[in-house]
């Protein structure tokens, strides 16, 4: 029997839960049948949201919720400057990139100014899946190889190509024959040469991971596959949030280059000031990728994504194959993306992520002595993983994690889970999350743990 997707199915609503719903909610879930069975709803009792402001949401009954999940509305739900920018542009023109328009050119220059000088070309798409799809094609053309390495619980998209590079979709998803997986960089459970990974230096941990890359490439070569790329996000979000030790990715990427491959930095999760230490997640690690992709946080909910590249890596593909995305880079989405970037600078979302993220992480960590179900708390900025385990062990406790998730929802706090075992609370709020929001979360989280006697 196929295992469920850790990122989509672990806390999803299923039809057999409908009997417990109120009539109106049940009616809406039944009407969703027209969408087919592939779609997912969160929670045993799905939430019917109708309004959002900042990091707060309201349902159809006027009940207020705290959003501790959403990196789509990166600068907060319905930020007035973003709303104004997209409304103004939508009232004038929306078309595609085969006509000249200032919005795409100005934004392209501005977003590239946040990256290292080596990354000097950019292309726009609508989704992270499309960006990763294009980046893999560019990498394969540049290296004349096919083999792509991902981590054990990675998610990189749902196109035909990227879904085969996304083991987090579950075992029903066929994986690519030229893809190889390396272990999750699990600093909580791994031991390296008899030493707990949490005690390893960045160099020691990086050398271990580089060794796993070497093993994967050696296996590719045994099967006549030429290595093309490592595709990974620098916080390993779907794997369970593993951002430390800072600097451990350098020997990994050095090895990728030594073996003839390129690094595609999937920045959908760690990018756009999320970690609090740098605008891009790879910047926190002190390395420069060959290709960068991003999506969700760019335009605060509008379908916008990017692929940035070193010009020499892009040229073999772009110089021979035309690429066009009908809606990618349209003037309305570019206006919204520019507004998001302006807000991030003017409101210092990176500073807020660093300051509030530390307060948030420290507060969650402070519960560990009284609540031994919390095995580990890790993260960077406003991206925190809280690992739920069976007390006294490091054994993952998915049931307890899901009970916590559902009880948090009852306490009007929305978040999700990630990781191979679906037992890690994924605390990833909008970047405008405040100290008072931390207080709200902690009150609800403490109440939840006490209610469940965990």
């Amino acid at each position: 029997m196929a295992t469920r997707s850790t990122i989509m199915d672990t806390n999803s609503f299923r039809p057999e839960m409908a009997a417990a719903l109120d009539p109106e909610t049940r009616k809406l879930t039944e009407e969703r049948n027209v969408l087919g069975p592939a779609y997912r709803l969160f929670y045993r009792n799905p939430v019917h949201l109708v309004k959002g402001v900042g990091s707060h949401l309201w349902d159809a009954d006027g009940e207020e919720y705290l959003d501790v999940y959403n990196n789509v509305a990166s600068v907060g739900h319905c930020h007035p400057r973003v709303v104004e920018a997209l409304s103004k542009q939508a009232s004038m023109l929306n078309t595609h990139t085969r006509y000249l328009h200032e919005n795409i050119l100005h934004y392209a220059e501005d977003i590239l100014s946040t990256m290292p000088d080596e990354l000097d070309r950019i292309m726009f798409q609508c989704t992270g899946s499309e960006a990763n799809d294009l980046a893999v094609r560019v990498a394969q053309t540049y290296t004349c190889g096919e083999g792509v390495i991902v981590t054990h619980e990675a998610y990189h998209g749902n196109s035909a190509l990227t879904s085969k590079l996304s083991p987090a979709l579950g075992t029903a998803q066929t994986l690519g024959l030229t893809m190889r997986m390396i272990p999750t960089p699990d600093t909580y459970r791994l031991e390296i040469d008899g030493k707990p990974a949490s005690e390893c230096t960045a160099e020691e941990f990086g050398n271990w991971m580089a060794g796993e890359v070497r093993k994967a490439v050696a296996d590719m070569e045994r099967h006549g596959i030429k290595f093309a790329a490592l595709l990974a996000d620098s916080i390993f979000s779907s794997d369970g949030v593993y951002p430390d030790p800072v600097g451990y990715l350098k020997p990994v990427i050095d090895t990728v280059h030594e073996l003839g491959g390129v690094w595609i930095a999937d920045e959908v999760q760690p990018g756009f000031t999320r970690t609090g230490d740098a605008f891009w997640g790879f910047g926190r690690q002190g390395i420069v990728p060959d290709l960068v992709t991003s999506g969700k946080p760019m335009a605060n909910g509008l379908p916008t994504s990017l692929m940035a590249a070193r010009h020499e890596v892009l040229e073999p593909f772009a110089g021979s194959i035309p690429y066009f995305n009908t809606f990618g880079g349209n003037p309305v989405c570019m206006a919204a993306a520019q507004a998001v970037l302006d807000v991030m600078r003017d409101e210092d979302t990176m500073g807020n992520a660093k300051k509030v993220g530390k307060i948030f992480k420290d507060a969650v960590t402070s519960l560990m002595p009284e609540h031994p179900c919390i095995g580990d708390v890790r993260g960077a900025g406003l991206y925190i993983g809280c690992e739920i385990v069976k007390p006294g062990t490091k054994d993952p406790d998915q049931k307890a994690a899901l009970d916590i998730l559902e009880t948090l929802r009852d306490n009007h706090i929305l978040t999700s889970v990630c990781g191979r075992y679906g037992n890690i609370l994924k605390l990833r709020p909008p970047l405008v999350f405040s100290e008072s929001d931390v207080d709200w979360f902690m009150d609800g989280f403490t109440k939840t743990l006490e209610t469940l006697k965990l």
Side-chain angles (χ1 to χ4, degrees), residues 7-50:
I7 59 170
M8 293 298 294
D9 287 312
T10 307
N11 67 316
S12 65
F13 170 81
R14 291 187 284 280
E16 60 266 26
M17 300 172 180
L21 302 179
D22 67 80
E24 181 61 25
T25 302
R26 182 173 182 174
K27 179 174 179 290
L28 287 173
T29 64
E30 291 171 349
E31 289 177 357
R32 279 176 59 95
N33 290 338
V34 70
L35 302 176
Y39 279 86
R40 296 294 186 269
L41 278 169
F42 283 161
Y43 300 111
R44 299 163 191 162
N45 181 10
V47 187
H48 179 190
L49 297 173
V50 297

Side-chain angles (χ1 to χ4, degrees), residues 97-322:
T97 56
R98 280 179 286 190
Y99 302 114
L100 293 172
H101 200 278
E102 294 86 352
N103 282 8
I104 187 172
L105 302 177
H106 292 169
Y107 182 73
E109 292 177 357
D110 205 1
I111 195 65
L112 281 176
S113 74
T114 68
M115 299 184 186
D117 291 343
E118 294 92 333
L119 294 158
D120 56 357
R121 298 290 186 271
I122 194 163
M123 299 170 71
F124 295 102
Q125 304 80 37
C126 298
T127 67
S129 297
E130 290 177 319
N132 281 329
D133 190 296
L134 176 60
V136 170
R137 293 171 63 196
V138 169
Q140 290 174 333
T141 304
Y142 174 72
T143 61
C144 299
E146 289 185 275
V148 178
I149 296 173
V150 300
T151 51
H152 195 284
E153 202 61 26
Y155 173 74
H156 295 294
N158 55 27
S159 68
L161 192 161
T162 58
S163 62
K164 293 181 182 297
L165 303 173
S166 299
L169 289 174
T171 57
Q173 171 61 56
T174 303
L175 297 177
L177 295 177
T178 59
M179 182 272 276
R180 295 295 183 272
M181 290 187 292
I182 59 174
T184 293
D186 186 344
T187 47
Y188 179 54
R189 290 187 176 83
L190 278 173
E191 287 195 358
I192 299 170
D193 296 328
K195 183 178 181 180
S198 59
E199 298 176 11
C200 289
T201 65
E203 184 178 12
E204 289 171 332
F205 195 61
N207 286 339
W208 164 80
M209 193 169 178
E212 296 299 320
V213 169
R214 289 186 186 280
K215 292 176 190 176
V217 173
D219 188 64
M220 287 179 183
E221 291 173 347
R222 280 195 295 272
H223 290 84
I225 300 165
K226 183 172 169 36
F227 177 43
L230 169 68
L231 172 58
D233 84 69
S234 57
I235 203 168
F236 298 93
S237 47
S238 294
D239 283 273
V241 191
Y242 300 98
D244 295 316
V246 172
Y248 82 90
L249 281 182
K250 186 178 186 311
V252 179
I253 305 310
D254 286 347
T255 299
V256 167
H257 289 151
E258 176 194 332
L259 297 173
V262 298
W263 177 34
I264 304 169
D266 184 337
E267 289 283 320
V268 171
Q269 304 288 344
F272 283 87
T273 78
R274 171 64 56 181
T275 69
D277 291 320
F279 192 95
W280 300 100
F282 62 77
R284 182 175 183 269
Q285 290 283 343
I287 43 182
V288 180
D290 302 288
L291 294 155
V292 176
T293 58
S294 193
K296 290 183 180 74
M298 285 181 62
N300 226 46
L302 271 70
T304 310
S305 64
L306 65 80
M307 184 205 70
R310 298 173 185 256
H311 67 269
E312 66 272 19
V313 175
L314 179 61
E315 180 57 31
F317 176 89
S320 57
I321 302 173

Side-chain angles (χ1 to χ4, degrees), residues 62-104:
E63 296 289 334
E64 186 176 1
Y65 293 76
L66 181 67
D67 187 352
V68 195
Y69 170 75
N70 219 317
N71 76 325
V72 178
S74 56
V75 295
H77 295 276
C78 301
H79 194 291
R81 288 177 64 180
V82 180
V83 171
E84 179 184 9
L86 71 90
S87 299
K88 180 179 178 181
Q89 184 58 50
S91 71
M92 294 189 295
L93 175 72
N94 196 34
T95 184
H96 49 67
T97 56
R98 280 179 286 190
Y99 302 114
L100 293 172
H101 200 278
E102 294 86 352
N103 282 8
I104 187 172

